[in-house]
Amino acid sequence: MTNTMQDQMNTPVGQGSKKLDSDNLKVLEDQLNHESLMTKKCTNYASYCTDTELKNLCQQASQKHKQHYNELLNYLNSHQ
């Protein structure tokens, strides 16, 4: 994550510009795509697992990536 993006993420709402520049939008787009892909992969891996413990681990990873995706999307939507 770039320092500029970290600064923007750490700036309280109502302070500074709420608009994201194109570089930060690209980073967010890439990260959203990554989290979406990882959610799908982990869900797919879980479907192949026969070991219950491993299946649960893959499902938990899928849920964590889905949570990250939703957090990023909420952040993006709050800066429109």
Side-chain angles (χ1 to χ4, degrees):
M1 192 178 303
T2 65
N3 286 339
T4 304
M5 188 172 175
Q6 283 179 327
D7 292 342
Q8 285 182 346
M9 290 180 72
N10 292 329
T11 301
V13 174
Q15 295 181 4
S17 173
K18 284 189 71 173
K19 295 289 183 182
L20 297 172
D21 62 24
S22 61
D23 290 340
N24 287 336
L25 287 172
K26 179 64 177 149
V27 170
L28 279 170
E29 179 185 17
D30 290 345
Q31 193 61 36
L32 283 166
N33 288 333
H34 170 76
E35 294 297 343
S36 177
L37 178 62
M38 291 307 298
T39 299
K40 291 173 188 173
K41 282 185 172 188
C42 290
T43 299
N44 193 33
Y45 296 153
S47 72
Y48 292 130
C49 293
T50 56
D51 180 72
T52 305
E53 191 173 341
L54 187 55
K55 184 180 198 86
N56 288 338
L57 186 63
C58 290
Q59 289 171 336
Q60 289 172 2
S62 175
Q63 288 300 311
K64 189 54 106 170
H65 285 291
K66 184 176 182 181
Q67 178 185 350
H68 291 163
Y69 178 90
N70 288 332
E71 289 171 357
L72 287 167
L73 189 59
N74 288 337
Y75 177 79
L76 178 62
N77 288 335
S78 73
H79 286 77
Q80 290 185 355

